[in-house]
Amino acid sequence: MSAGLPNRESVSIEETWKLEDLVPNEAAYEEGLVSLTKATDAFVQQWKGSIHTSEDAVTALKAYEEIYLTLIPVSTYGNLALSVDQTNTEAQMRASKFGSFYAGLGSKLAFLDSELLNLNEKILMDAAHLAPEFAQYLDKLIKKKPHQLAPEVEKTLASLSSTFDGPYELYNTTKMVDLSFPDFEANGSMHPMSYVKFENDYEVENDTELRRNAFDAFSKELANYQHTTAKTYDMHLQTEKTLSDLRGYNTIFDSLLFSQEVDASLYHRQIDLIMKELAPHMRKYAKLLGRIHGIDKMTFADLKISVDPSYEPKISIEESKKYMYDALGIMGEDYIEMVRKSYDERWIDFAANKGKSTGAFCSSPYGVHPYILISWSSRMNEVFVLAHELGHAGHFYLAQQEQSVFNSRPSLYFIEAPSTMNEMLTANHLMKNSDDPRFKRWVISSIVARTYYHNFVTHLLEAAYQRKVYDHVDNGGNVHAGLLNEWTREVLQEFWGDDVEINDGAEYTWMRQPHYYMGLYPYTYSAGLTIATEVSQKILSEGQPAVDRWIDVLKAGGTKTPAELAQMAGVDITTEQPLRNTISYIGSLIDELETLTKEIEGK
């Protein structure tokens, strides 16, 4: 459990999100399930075996769209209600029940894609011409045809969807419900421990004994669950391998990259180039941290400390508004109006309470509005986290105004570009408004420690580890805790070399990341930030024209591939130049940190 945190029912309602915008009450939720069942049964009765012409295809897709739009708020409600308190048995049961309901729904509707693909391709193209809002859906369906299975097999797989989701649900239950941390000792006092408290506070704690003891206590408790968590992960991996083989993909990588609409070379380049060329810059950064803090030997537990912790101010939720309005103001009044609404209409869940999911995320149900989860710690660092999630919110808020439900969401490869762009805009704004060396150092260190470390180091190292895992599973292997620990340690050691001691407990880092249950997600953070870095530099040099292009990119949603979206903003990700530019930019920031530190210490 989350020691030292209040129960969900004790937090201020003003710090919670308003789920009533999705579903007014529990009775309406239940009515929604009944309505969906009736609509689905009627759809099956009308259209199963009856789609023969392009006109039939369009009419059927419009009816399907109505079901899909009705499903979105109901499913989102269940997921979000559970994410804020996974100890709530009512929320657990609702989510579990919905998983079974959704699987049944999917099984009934699975015939649609199969019957559409049985049509002549010209009929599908004519349907796309008749109804352009379905063009993307049909185009992706045609591309998927080589991997489509027999209708009854697709129906069976759809009915098993809740079973396939089981490992991820089990992972979250282990992490947020069963995993309980005892108090630990540091500096002669006892301190409470929880997942949220470690990741929000202790991991960035300035006091070395408190920080390292917290790391040891946290890691020790993780170790008690390593075998259960590894077995859970292996279940997920073997399911992915089986489905990849069933659908005729050559590798799991091909299977998972298919929907991302990028070539495997972009995936491997992102990992290989950063592992090789960013590592020297980050080792230099680690040495700088050690020198500033008087640490003779930096360890893995020390890497997230602040360059200047005494300078970082505490900031309230109310105070964060001005930073968001000022930093993101360059995006225009419509965008800022969305940010205002996110505060005023309770789109954001700020509360830190027991059982709440760790980290932060944004859910953007079509036809409603975005929802952001964050556990506000009052650290200035949270301004960057919030800007990041508002980047997701703004992206889908604009895309959904312009695109149909099937066209609004781009490839996973591009998802993190708008979010990390907002972090860059926040840093650019702060830098522009002060010439004070200490403030400039704080801003630069924030962008290095938060934006780049998180996206270009933390998630990239996870991606390098994940690639080892999938290589092993692709060759017919299973995983266990010993292997996962070994690969995690190998990746960390390769990146940090002899400049950072990979202390005991670092090998359990793989246990902390839910993204491993979401396909090839970790590497996309650095991919998105590569695009965001390039575009943010264009905004600095070009001003409004670059902003206008970026707004157009956001509005395009999923109507273009990642390479096409990046090209709209003036970035060519088919070459390695944007990534090399970004790595060089990170290096220049670290060089500037060293220069500013010498200037400050020389005063």
Side-chain angles (χ1 to χ4, degrees):
M1 301 294 181
S2 304
L5 293 175
N7 293 321
R8 179 67 178 180
E9 57 268 22
S10 301
V11 302
S12 168
I13 192 170
E14 294 305 315
E15 294 185 8
T16 66
W17 52 28
K18 188 180 178 185
L19 294 185
E20 292 87 344
D21 291 346
L22 288 163
V23 179
N25 50 52
E26 199 67 24
Y29 172 78
E30 293 294 337
E31 288 170 10
L33 299 185
V34 173
S35 175
L36 278 164
T37 300
K38 290 179 179 178
T40 300
D41 289 344
F43 178 81
V44 173
Q45 186 173 2
Q46 181 177 0
W47 290 109
K48 190 171 185 181
S50 300
I51 305 175
H52 306 297
T53 67
S54 56
E55 290 80 5
D56 290 341
V58 169
T59 308
L61 281 170
K62 286 181 178 177
Y64 174 69
E65 182 180 38
E66 287 301 312
I67 294 173
Y68 195 65
L69 289 171
T70 305
L71 176 66
I72 288 171
V74 175
S75 62
T76 306
Y77 173 77
N79 288 332
L80 297 188
L82 180 61
S83 69
V84 293
D85 186 3
Q86 300 200 40
T87 68
N88 185 310
T89 53
E90 182 182 333
Q92 290 175 18
M93 292 304 296
R94 185 195 299 112
S96 182
K97 179 182 176 183
F98 182 81
S100 300
F101 172 82
Y102 182 77
L105 217 63
S107 178
K108 292 177 182 178
L109 294 169
F111 79 90
L112 178 62
D113 283 358
S114 297
E115 295 202 8
L116 287 172
L117 284 175
N118 278 337
L119 298 174
N120 183 284
E121 191 169 315
K122 184 180 183 306
I123 293 177
L124 294 180
M125 294 176 69
D126 287 343
H129 181 72
L130 284 172
E133 67 269 28
F134 298 126
Q136 292 293 116
Y137 183 96
L138 292 168
D139 180 58
K140 290 176 181 178
L141 192 61
I142 292 169
K143 290 176 180 176
K144 197 169 67 173
K145 188 170 185 175
H147 307 288
Q148 186 80 359
L149 302 174
E152 286 307 308
V153 178
E154 292 290 350
K155 179 179 180 179
T156 301
L157 292 177
S159 70
L160 290 170
S161 63
S162 63
T163 303
F164 297 152
D165 291 339
Y168 179 52
E169 293 173 5
L170 180 57
Y171 166 80
N172 277 327
T173 300
T174 302
K175 178 179 177 180
M176 300 310 304
V177 181
D178 287 343
L179 191 54
S180 179
F181 297 91
D183 293 352
F184 69 98
E185 190 275 332
N187 298 319
S189 301
M190 299 303 293
H191 304 268
M193 173 64 80
S194 71
Y195 234 112
V196 172
K197 193 157 185 63
F198 176 75
E199 294 191 337
N200 279 5
D201 295 324
Y202 294 135
E203 201 168 26
V204 294
E205 168 61 47
N206 186 44
D207 185 286
T208 299
E209 181 177 338
L210 178 56
R211 181 179 65 255
R212 290 182 174 179
N213 285 12
F215 181 88
D216 290 342
F218 182 76
S219 301
K220 182 179 179 181
E221 199 56 34
L222 285 184
N224 291 334
Y225 289 82
Q226 61 180 301
H227 301 293
T228 299
T229 308
K231 187 63 180 175
T232 301
Y233 185 33
D234 188 54
M235 290 165 58
H236 173 74
L237 292 166
Q238 298 308 320
T239 299
E240 287 185 313
K241 171 63 174 171
T242 299
L243 291 174
S244 172
D245 290 346
L246 275 175
R247 295 193 178 281
Y249 291 99
N250 292 326
T251 68
I252 298 181
F253 297 102
D254 291 336
S255 171
L256 297 176
L257 287 171
F258 180 84
S259 63
Q260 291 190 19
E261 301 178 283
V262 292
D263 186 83
S265 63
L266 272 69
Y267 165 75
H268 292 296
R269 177 212 295 158
Q270 204 71 23
I271 297 173
D272 294 337
L273 209 58
I274 293 176
M275 286 293 291
K276 179 182 177 183
E277 299 192 9
L278 181 62
H281 295 301
M282 295 311 299
R283 293 175 189 178
K284 186 176 182 180
Y285 175 67
K287 287 179 181 177
L288 176 62
L289 284 178
R291 184 165 65 78
I292 290 172
H293 287 266
I295 300 173
D296 292 332
K297 182 64 178 177
M298 288 287 286
T299 74
F300 183 75
D302 302 320
L303 289 170
K304 293 191 176 180
I305 55 179
S306 172
V307 166
D308 194 351
S310 64
Y311 191 76
E312 182 169 4
K314 293 287 186 180
I315 181 169
S316 68
I317 294 169
E318 184 63 29
E319 289 168 338
S320 73
K321 293 179 181 179
K322 181 171 173 27
Y323 284 97
M324 293 299 98
Y325 299 157
D326 291 348
L328 304 180
I330 193 171
M331 295 290 283
E333 186 53 40
D334 287 347
Y335 196 96
I336 290 301
E337 181 60 23
M338 181 277 300
V339 176
R340 288 195 189 97
K341 286 182 177 180
S342 70
Y343 282 99
D344 296 344
E345 299 178 10
R346 290 175 49 212
W347 298 0
I348 308 172
D349 199 274
F350 290 100
N353 58 262
K354 291 180 181 179
K356 187 173 181 178
S357 293
T358 59
F361 68 73
C362 177
S363 175
S364 298
Y366 192 96
V368 189
H369 59 69
Y371 281 90
I372 292 171
L373 178 142
I374 186 172
S375 294
W376 193 258
S377 66
S378 295
R379 294 179 183 271
M380 185 66 177
N381 174 59
E382 296 295 339
V383 167
F384 285 96
V385 180
L386 186 54
H388 178 104
E389 299 307 334
L390 283 168
H392 287 305
H395 183 194
F396 291 111
Y397 187 78
L398 291 173
Q400 289 175 13
Q401 288 179 341
E402 300 289 328
Q403 308 297 338
S404 73
V405 65
F406 299 123
N407 291 354
S408 63
R409 191 173 185 84
S411 154
L412 191 64
Y413 185 95
F414 190 81
I415 286 292
E416 296 300 335
S419 54
T420 51
M421 165 63 86
N422 275 16
E423 294 188 53
M424 299 304 298
L425 293 177
T426 300
N428 290 345
H429 167 73
L430 292 172
M431 288 281 286
K432 188 173 65 176
N433 284 277
S434 177
D435 292 323
D436 177 66
R438 197 174 178 196
F439 182 78
K440 283 186 69 175
R441 184 176 72 162
W442 175 81
V443 174
I444 294 171
S445 66
S446 294
I447 204 74
V448 171
R450 158 62 209 173
T451 302
Y452 286 110
Y453 189 101
H454 187 66
N455 299 294
F456 255 77
V457 180
T458 297
H459 288 316
L460 195 282
L461 294 182
E462 289 163 353
Y465 149 84
Q466 187 183 42
R467 186 168 63 174
K468 287 177 178 282
V469 172
Y470 279 127
D471 274 335
H472 180 75
V473 173
D474 245 345
N475 289 317
N478 289 74
V479 302
H480 55 77
L483 271 179
L484 300 177
N485 294 342
E486 177 186 336
W487 289 331
T488 300
R489 181 170 282 277
E490 281 179 2
V491 168
L492 294 176
Q493 192 65 64
E494 179 186 349
F495 188 82
W496 292 109
D498 296 330
D499 295 300
V500 175
E501 177 188 335
I502 309 303
N503 48 309
D504 290 344
E507 66 271 21
Y508 304 128
T509 305
W510 65 269
M511 296 177 64
R512 297 168 55 184
Q513 184 51 270
H515 290 161
Y516 296 138
Y517 296 84
M518 304 172 189
L520 297 178
Y521 192 9
Y523 93 101
T524 65
Y525 280 86
S526 63
L529 183 50
T530 299
I531 297 169
T533 300
E534 289 283 85
V535 178
S536 68
Q537 293 299 305
K538 291 180 185 298
I539 289 175
L540 282 177
S541 61
E542 299 177 30
Q544 196 60 45
V547 173
D548 293 342
R549 289 198 303 270
W550 187 242
I551 293 293
D552 287 341
V553 169
L554 301 184
K555 289 179 178 179
T559 59
K560 298 180 182 297
T561 67
E564 290 169 339
L565 289 169
Q567 194 65 58
M568 283 178 68
V571 181
D572 185 1
I573 61 170
T574 63
T575 74
E576 63 183 26
Q577 199 56 50
L579 180 53
R580 287 190 181 277
N581 290 347
T582 300
I583 292 172
S584 177
Y585 178 67
I586 297 170
S588 72
L589 291 177
I590 293 169
D591 289 343
E592 193 167 357
L593 277 181
E594 283 198 318
T595 301
L596 287 168
T597 297
K598 289 176 183 176
E599 180 181 345
I600 292 165
E601 291 176 347
K603 288 185 177 180

